[in-house]
Each structure stands twice: as C-alpha cells, then as structure tokens.
Amino acid sequence: DGGITQSPKYLFRKEGQNVTLSCEQNLNHDAMYWYRQDPGQGLRLIYYSQIVNDFQKGDIAEGYSVSREKKESFPLTVTSAQKNPTAFYLCASSERDRAVTEAFFGQGTRLTVV
Amino acid sequence: LAKTTQPISMDSYEGQEVNITCSHNNIATNDYITWYQQFPSQGPRFIIQGYKTKVTNEVASLFIPADRKSSTLSLPRVSLSDTAVYYCLVSGGYNKLIFGAGTRLAVHP
C-alpha cells in the first residue's frame, strides 16, 4: 500500500538532547513537508522540500534541522536549541509543480520533553 | 500566498447541512482552493479541491463564486463522526501548503 509513515508514534526527550523524527513515503512524491501542531492550534510549517537535496525554511524553522538525501525520506531533527519542543509533529508529501495538489499526511509523532 | 479567514468554530446537529465559508480576498489567478479535515491526534485528510463554480464528490460540495474571493464547503446531513477541524487552503504551483487555524465543527446528537 502506498502511503506516508512517521515513526515513532510517541517520543520522549530529555532537555538538552537532540532527537530525530522519521518520515518515509512510497508515493513517489517530490515535495515533502514538516508541520508542528500545539494543542487546540492549527498546523505551522517548519520546513519543506520540493526536490531531493533541497529544502526551505517554513515559518518556525528555528531549533529544527532537516535533510533530504533520498526522495522517499525527510527526517526532522529537533535540536536542543528548540526551547519548547513538546508538540505533535506531522509530515506530509505531495506532487510538485502542480496547482492541483493533494497532500498526504502521516499519523504524526507526539514529542514530549521530560 | 493568499491568506484565508474562517470561523473559529461552528455547532450543528446530526442530519443537518453544514456550510463553512472561507474568505480569501487575495487569491491569485493560478491558485486552487483545497479543504482538509482533521480528527484529534491524526494528520489532516484531503476532502475536496476546486478552482471555480461548483465541485462535488462523495463527501462534500465546494461552492466558489465568480470572483473567487471566498469559498463554501458544504457537508450534507452531518453525523457525529463529522466532528473535526476543517481547514481551507489556497495555493498553486510551488506552494508551501500554509494552514490557518481552521474551523472546529462540533456535531451534536
């Protein structure tokens, strides 16, 4: 089955540690995105990538880093510089260069700082 | 990117038709209008997309007036399972898929 997979579903991090969230898709999509969602709020864009080896900052990129070495993978690292990392993180993918765009989302990773 | 404005919340009852309107005054010529649905602790799910006039699929209808400065998502005969947050997005081409705050729909028995 084609889809987008995020892992792990739940993640706990100690303060001062870096942690990496995984996002893999087998939809052959060029574009991939990372969002952060806080309780009762909408989605905020962290980073997005339209093609392999290229990515752009979204609205809240500070304290996060990404890589796009393979088309199917777009891991997100939450660094110790992110002051309030506890949130629900969502990864998405879509086709590129199309005005008619449907994004497919993973099931999310809930990160908690302990 | 065109900014969107939606009501923060709406209430309805089972069996009623629900219309959620989104304002996007600065929509560009090549922008499409897309609606997503999100349940708690899940990723958003695509509902419907359109450019102008009316689009209908098995779950919803999307009405877009000629000036395209607004759009209305119509959910026929809602059930309790339609309780969710609904997002309106305007984008085209190299888009960043910017989500607003969405509309929180509560369906009551």
Side-chain angles (χ1 to χ4, degrees):
Chain A
D1 289 336
I4 182 164
T5 302
Q6 290 185 242
S7 61
K9 188 172 182 178
Y10 299 97
L11 188 57
F12 297 89
R13 189 195 93 172
K14 293 183 179 180
E15 285 192 28
Q17 285 184 337
N18 292 352
V19 64
T20 297
L21 282 59
S22 171
C23 179
E24 303 278 335
Q25 54 98 1
N26 60 4
L27 300 167
N28 200 35
H29 286 164
D30 283 307
M32 297 187 74
Y33 314 81
W34 273 106
Y35 294 89
R36 168 183 172 138
Q37 188 171 36
D38 293 290
Q41 305 297 313
L43 282 71
R44 291 188 290 169
L45 183 65
I46 305 173
Y47 269 98
Y48 65 105
S49 169
Q50 296 285 355
I51 197 168
V52 174
N53 292 322
D54 183 62
F55 49 83
Q56 305 295 327
K57 292 182 179 180
D59 299 323
I60 55 165
E62 184 175 352
Y64 300 98
S65 66
V66 293
S67 64
R68 188 81 188 278
E69 298 176 359
K70 298 186 296 182
K71 186 176 184 177
E72 58 270 23
S73 178
F74 192 40
L76 173 74
T77 296
V78 184
T79 75
S80 57
Q82 170 51 237
K83 299 306 179 186
N84 185 22
T86 294
F88 187 49
Y89 291 87
L90 286 159
C91 180
S93 71
S94 72
E95 294 184 23
R96 188 177 68 104
D97 277 351
R98 293 187 62 195
V100 182
T101 302
E102 176 182 349
F104 293 82
F105 283 80
Q107 288 302 298
T109 293
R110 190 168 298 280
L111 173 64
T112 303
V113 174
V114 298
Chain B
L1 292 174
K3 179 181 177 181
T4 60
T5 303
Q6 306 173 233
I8 294 174
S9 64
M10 295 182 68
D11 288 275
S12 184
Y13 292 91
E14 285 190 290
Q16 290 188 335
E17 178 184 74
V18 171
N19 295 309
I20 306 174
T21 297
C22 178
S23 173
H24 29 79
N25 291 319
N26 296 322
I27 189 168
T29 303
N30 63 342
D31 284 341
Y32 278 70
I33 300 155
T34 311
W35 286 80
Y36 288 83
Q37 175 193 56
Q38 185 183 27
F39 297 113
S41 298
Q42 294 185 24
R45 181 176 70 103
F46 173 91
I47 301 176
I48 197 166
Q49 184 174 66
Y51 185 80
K52 62 180 179 180
T53 62
K54 177 183 175 182
V55 179
T56 298
N57 62 22
E58 63 276 8
V59 297
S61 295
L62 179 59
F63 298 92
I64 306 169
D67 66 5
R68 303 200 329 122
K69 294 184 181 299
S70 67
S71 60
T72 299
L73 174 71
S74 180
L75 304 173
R77 298 180 298 280
V78 295
S79 65
L80 296 176
S81 63
D82 292 315
T83 293
V85 179
Y86 293 84
Y87 297 96
C88 164
L89 277 73
V90 173
S91 60
Y94 281 97
N95 62 77
K96 298 193 292 184
L97 292 183
I98 300 296
F99 284 75
T103 297
R104 194 171 298 273
L105 173 66
V107 179
H108 306 281

